[in-house]
Structures are given as structure tokens and as C-alpha cells.
Amino acid sequence: MRLYRMQELKDYIQQHEKASIDELCQAMGVSKSTLRRDLDLLAGEGWIEKVYGGVKYRDSSQLIPYENRGVLNAEAKRAIGRRAGELVEEGDVLFLDSGTTTPYMLESLSGKHVTVLTHSISVINAAGALPDVALFALPGLYYPKTKSFRCMDTVAFLRKYNITKAFMAASGFSRSGVTNSATWEYDIKQYVAHNAQQVYLCIDSAKFGVTRMMTYCEAEQLTGIVCEAAPGEEWLEYLEEKGVELIL
């Protein structure tokens, strides 16, 4: 029960960026003493920062709003999405992650009979226009900052399906692995990255060497990285060492 409450507490604080003690007590349905113990744990783990009368999420500055992310490296994202779409084969069961790159994959899926599982509203809208795509929208509460859905049952829903190819988004890729800032998506990303038959990371070259709050996947778990340009020689050697294909 407490683990469930702690996850809901983390989700609430990150979604709202900051909250008062009274607000959190009401939202979580717990006493102030119970809440303070939970907040002490989150603060100790580096999730939050205590401020007068409440708390704020420590990493909120790193999560760029979806609308702003969409215009950053837009041409690179389109190129990455189209190239990733070319890796899809007839009959594939796909997971398309949230983010501003994966929706471009749908431009390459026209005429292919595939199944798409996603929690991204942008992918849902794009896939819904393709008559040959069987679309499964993952359940959950809608998070405007990432334009995605997530709840405690989302991973349970995913367990029913054998995903042949997963196309993942991330805030950064470094020697720490594949990292992300949106904590409420962590369990979804981690489950898919550990269980899909093939896992492709779709990132632009500027994200190499960037580390964010949570590592949801190790480099060794990746089948390949789809990128618009080759990173530096150091990263090319690292990918070769880890057995990860670079797809330009």
C-alpha cells in the first residue's frame, strides 16, 4: 500500500511541480505525520526539495514542455522518425513511446499491417488515420507536459502483448544508460525496454552525453539507435563495444 502511495505522491508532485502540505494531505488522503515521513524519503532520494509550507519537484526545469520540444531539432526528429519507420515489417507488434519524434514514424507505416501500442496522444491521433494499423491506446491519467497517459494498470496492460519492436524516446544517452526526466513514465519505459524483442532508441545526436534523473535502460539492452547524424568517435567506439547498431 505504501509503495503505491509513494508512487502516486511522486506523480502528483511532478505533475504539479510544487504543492503545499495541506494540498498533498487532501490529495493522498493521509495525515500530516504520515505525509511528512513520505516526503522525508522522497527528499532523501533527491526527488523533491522542501520549501516553506510544502515541496517542489527538483527536476522540473529539465522537463521541457511538449510544445517547445516539438520545435527543437524538428527536421532531425522528422528524419529520425521516418528512418525508424522503415525498420518496421509487416505483422510487427510495435510499442511507440511518447515524445516528439515517434509520431513521425507513422509517415512510413502507411500500407503496412501492424499493431501499435502507445500511451502517446500524438501517436494515437496519427495512427488513427491509417486504416491498416491496429491501434491499442494504453490506459491512464493524461499528463499534458508529455501528452501521454499513465496509471498503475498501464504496465499490467502491456504484459498481455508480445512486442516485436519498441521505439523509445529519452532525454539523454550516456554511460549511465538511457535516461529520462518524466518520472511518471519510468515504469512503462523500463518494462518495454526489458521485454520487447528489439529495442530502438530514437534520439537526435545532441542527446549523446546527456544524463537525466532516471536510467530506464542500459546500453546493452538496445538493438540500435536511430539518429540523424553520427556522434563523436568516442560514442561510436562505445556503441560498438556494447553491440549497439547506429542507424543514420
Side-chain angles (χ1 to χ4, degrees):
M1 179 62 74
R2 190 182 189 190
L3 288 175
Y4 179 91
R5 187 178 72 242
M6 292 289 285
Q7 184 63 56
E8 291 298 304
L9 181 59
K10 285 188 288 187
D11 288 351
Y12 187 95
I13 295 171
Q14 184 169 15
Q15 184 182 11
H16 293 81
E17 296 188 3
K18 59 183 179 179
S20 68
I21 297 296
D22 290 339
E23 177 186 351
L24 290 172
C25 284
Q26 183 175 1
M28 298 297 111
V30 297
S31 66
K32 286 188 177 181
S33 59
T34 297
L35 178 68
R36 291 186 192 282
R37 286 195 295 270
D38 290 347
L39 293 177
D40 285 341
L41 284 175
L42 294 184
E45 294 173 358
W47 289 90
I48 63 170
E49 178 182 347
K50 292 184 178 180
V51 296
Y52 182 76
V55 296
K56 68 177 182 179
Y57 178 59
R58 290 190 63 181
D59 200 42
S60 59
S61 63
Q62 295 180 349
L63 186 59
I64 303 171
Y66 188 98
E67 289 76 9
N68 294 343
R69 284 186 284 135
V71 299
L72 296 175
N73 300 322
E75 288 306 310
K77 292 174 186 289
R78 180 180 292 273
I80 293 165
R82 286 177 171 173
R83 182 68 182 92
E86 293 172 1
L87 301 174
V88 175
E89 299 174 298
E90 189 80 5
D92 270 337
V93 178
L94 309 172
F95 175 83
L96 302 190
D97 203 358
S98 65
T100 52
T101 301
T102 48
Y104 289 120
M105 289 183 60
L106 279 299
E107 297 179 11
S108 301
L109 298 189
S110 179
K112 293 182 180 179
H113 292 83
V114 296
T115 299
V116 170
L117 295 95
T118 187
H119 60 313
S120 163
I121 195 168
S122 299
V123 173
I124 291 170
N125 289 335
L130 300 179
D132 297 320
V133 172
L135 174 63
F136 287 86
L138 303 184
L141 175 68
Y142 179 64
Y143 288 80
K145 278 195 171 182
T146 54
K147 291 192 180 296
S148 62
F149 298 88
R150 185 261 178 199
C151 71
M152 297 300 292
D153 296 327
T154 307
V155 172
F157 184 91
L158 280 168
R159 288 195 181 101
K160 302 174 184 178
Y161 300 93
N162 296 315
I163 299 169
T164 58
K165 294 186 177 78
F167 294 88
M168 309 301 295
S171 301
F173 176 78
S174 67
R175 293 182 182 271
S176 297
V178 184
T179 61
N180 209 58
S181 298
T183 60
W184 59 81
E185 294 191 332
Y186 173 80
D187 54 350
I188 298 173
K189 292 176 182 291
Q190 185 187 52
Y191 175 82
V192 172
H194 282 71
N195 290 279
Q197 294 175 23
Q198 297 178 32
V199 181
Y200 294 94
L201 180 62
C202 301
I203 58 170
D204 59 79
S205 55
K207 291 182 178 178
F208 277 84
V210 175
T211 302
R212 291 304 186 222
M213 177 175 279
M214 305 183 74
T215 297
Y216 72 82
C217 176
E218 303 297 333
E220 293 87 345
Q221 295 172 254
L222 297 174
T223 304
I225 296 180
V226 187
C227 195
E228 93 289 357
E233 188 64 31
E234 173 192 355
W235 289 110
L236 293 176
E237 293 176 0
Y238 181 74
L239 295 178
E240 184 177 1
E241 174 191 331
K242 297 298 182 180
V244 180
E245 181 184 5
L246 181 65
I247 303 165
L248 299 177

